[in-house]
Amino acid sequence: MIKAIKVNKPEPISSKKSSLLFDDSSDVKLTIKALEQGKSILITGFFSNGLLLLNALKKHLNKKYPNSTFQEQRNYRAAYFKLSNLILIAIVDYKLTVKKAPVIGWLEQLYSENSDFLLSFPQIQGLNSAWQWYKNGILTPVLRNKLQPYYGTYFPTRFDHLIFFDNWLKRYKGPKKSVIDVGIGSGVLSFQMLKYGFQKVFGTDTNPNAIVGLTEFMGSTKLARKIELDFDSLFGKFNFPVELIVFNPPWLPQSHALDCIDEAIYYNENLFPDFFEAAKQHLLPEGKLVIIFSNLAQITDVTKEHPIEKELAEGGRFQLEKCYRKTVKKASDKTKRDQHWRALEEVELWVLTHN
Ligand SMILES: C[S@@+](CC[C@H](N)C(=O)[O-])C[C@H]1O[C@@H](n2cnc3c(N)ncnc32)[C@H](O)[C@@H]1O
């Protein structure tokens, strides 16, 4: 049976919703007051009018929450989120109705059933930047073809861990019949494995957009015969042992980021115990379990616990074949405080085998 997959996307707002209108002749202060009273504002005229109002809102909130304490930053973000999402923009026939607006292909692809609706300005900005990534593609140092990340799918923006994995694959001498890629995302690790001659990849993801995006991307090309997908957690329907299991999991524990539950970045306390338990059943006797990780959570003091070290120490299921570590290059566009820990950040490639 084929599972019905519903992609994640911003919920369309009825175009009948009554809103105050805003253009470049409107009074900005009065408009912000109206937002604070919970009224929604419809951008008219030019797309840039929306940007103008958003910038004015940012300035206003910066004055209201001037301190850089954690709590005040949180209040600022919460207020910005609430008010900016009251700023709306109309879409008719998959196009923004304002002038000089960007063309966003996702409007037609994701909303084919509604051709007349509203979205908030920040949602439009999100769709627009995702469209740019998709349209332009992402060139990585490990693949000849660009990645085309579907809307709402995790994709790599730094490549150290991909180069690491590539070097490991280059030296890998084991059988290459079948592999399971847990949390396949944009498919980058699977494409790397196919490049090195793996015959069949089984990929899962709990994010519907990753599965729908990859299915569309592969279409009826020969890739579609080499990668089989399942929209499910961990190993999904792939109930057989393979010679290689690969997982690039979320790197940060969720409990410390309750206001953000992005499953590509934050893991809950069950993820690793459940993963290792299932991996034990899905790995052939001579198979290898490869996990990409980072010490990010530890060096930012989010947790002292390292889920892979914990498994090796307490799980009794796997033993360490090798752990490769590499310092990540400093990100140049970060603040000084960030650079302090970025200098120490390492990506890790863990290779485990059965005990
Ligand atoms: C850090 S991303 C890695 C994506 C891709 N493999 C890569 O290396 O770029 C983690 C991925 O795991 C997925 N994920 C999180 N929890 C999962 C689970 N329990 N089962 C399957 N996939 C999961 C996320 O949706 C996300 O696509």
Side-chain angles (χ1 to χ4, degrees):
M1 196 184 82
I2 297 171
K3 290 175 201 163
I5 305 185
K6 195 169 169 279
V7 296
N8 291 324
K9 64 183 182 194
E11 209 40 56
I13 302 165
S14 162
S15 57
K16 299 197 176 53
K17 185 179 174 73
S18 75
S19 311
L20 302 170
L21 303 184
F22 180 87
D23 66 13
D24 52 357
S25 64
S26 308
D27 185 312
V28 174
K29 276 202 177 126
L30 282 180
T31 307
I32 291 179
K33 252 206 187 100
L35 287 173
E36 289 184 319
Q37 288 161 1
K39 299 200 174 104
S40 49
I41 305 290
L42 183 68
I43 301 298
T44 59
F46 288 89
F47 183 76
S48 55
N49 294 336
L51 297 172
L52 187 140
L53 182 56
L54 270 191
N55 282 336
L57 179 64
K58 279 184 197 155
K59 268 199 197 132
H60 170 80
L61 292 176
N62 266 326
K63 271 197 207 130
K64 204 163 166 183
Y65 304 102
N67 297 327
S68 56
T69 60
F70 180 71
Q71 192 51 44
E72 198 141 281
Q73 281 178 11
R74 228 182 147 119
N75 293 343
Y76 171 93
R77 278 204 306 272
Y80 179 75
F81 181 80
K82 188 166 151 220
L83 302 188
S84 62
N85 275 293
L86 290 170
I87 304 173
L88 306 177
I89 201 152
I91 294 125
V92 173
D93 290 336
Y94 318 116
K95 289 188 193 72
L96 303 180
T97 53
V98 288
K99 293 185 207 102
K100 298 241 164 121
V103 174
I104 306 172
W106 293 131
L107 293 175
E108 185 159 1
Q109 290 206 28
L110 299 175
Y111 297 93
S112 53
E113 72 280 19
N114 358 32
S115 59
D116 181 0
F117 60 104
L118 307 172
L119 285 175
S120 78
F121 206 81
Q123 288 170 334
I124 284 295
Q125 287 181 307
L127 283 160
N128 184 34
S129 84
W131 183 249
Q132 299 307 318
W133 284 110
Y134 176 79
K135 202 174 58 160
N136 299 329
I138 294 161
L139 193 61
T140 66
V142 294
L143 297 173
R144 194 141 36 93
N145 295 332
K146 287 179 173 179
L147 293 174
Q148 267 198 307
Y150 192 78
Y151 175 74
T153 300
Y154 172 91
F155 58 89
T157 49
R158 290 190 303 174
F159 306 124
D160 307 80
H161 61 290
L162 301 180
I163 296 172
F164 227 5
F165 184 49
D166 219 67
N167 288 334
W168 183 82
L169 284 171
K170 212 178 278 170
R171 291 191 298 262
Y172 172 81
K173 296 274 183 292
K176 295 184 172 175
K177 239 177 88 203
S178 53
V179 47
I180 299 182
D181 183 353
V182 177
I184 190 167
S186 65
V188 61
L189 304 178
S190 292
F191 299 148
Q192 286 182 268
M193 292 186 282
L194 293 180
K195 177 179 94 173
Y196 283 103
F198 278 86
Q199 285 164 28
K200 182 93 190 188
V201 179
F202 301 95
T204 66
D205 211 295
T206 44
N207 177 355
N209 296 38
I211 301 298
V212 169
L214 270 175
T215 306
E216 273 189 20
F217 177 72
M218 297 192 299
S220 53
T221 64
K222 66 174 190 244
L223 263 184
R225 270 177 276 135
K226 298 198 163 185
I227 301 181
E228 191 177 330
L229 298 168
D230 190 21
F231 168 44
D232 206 344
S233 184
L234 297 177
F235 293 82
K237 67 178 181 189
F238 305 126
N239 270 327
F240 41 79
V242 292
E243 52 251 30
L244 180 62
I245 294 171
V246 178
F247 191 20
N248 176 14
W251 291 350
L252 296 170
Q254 206 174 65
S255 54
H256 295 265
L258 288 173
D259 53 347
C260 187
I261 47 156
D262 186 336
E263 276 198 354
I265 299 173
Y266 299 99
Y267 62 85
N268 70 36
E269 57 186 3
N270 296 326
L271 179 71
F272 284 96
D274 289 353
F275 168 74
F276 284 115
E277 192 187 331
K280 184 81 184 161
Q281 310 304 322
H282 287 81
L283 193 64
L284 282 167
E286 304 300 318
K288 300 201 191 291
L289 176 56
V290 171
I291 307 167
I292 293 168
F293 209 64
S294 136
N295 62 352
L296 193 61
Q298 292 167 312
I299 57 174
T300 50
D301 280 337
V302 173
T303 179
K304 294 266 167 291
E305 199 172 280
H306 188 303
I308 304 162
E309 283 172 3
K310 185 166 186 242
E311 168 65 23
L312 286 170
E314 300 169 10
R317 289 177 276 230
F318 295 101
Q319 58 181 336
L320 180 64
E321 179 178 293
K322 184 100 192 174
C323 174
Y324 304 86
R325 291 192 162 89
K326 182 171 175 270
T327 308
V328 178
K329 277 193 226 99
K330 274 188 207 172
S332 55
D333 58 345
K334 294 286 160 181
T335 63
K336 274 203 174 117
R337 208 176 71 215
D338 265 1
Q339 274 185 12
H340 169 68
W341 58 259
R342 263 175 196 272
L344 307 168
E345 187 186 348
E346 289 173 344
V347 280
E348 305 166 351
L349 187 97
W350 294 77
V351 185
L352 313 188
T353 56
H354 279 292
N355 239 349

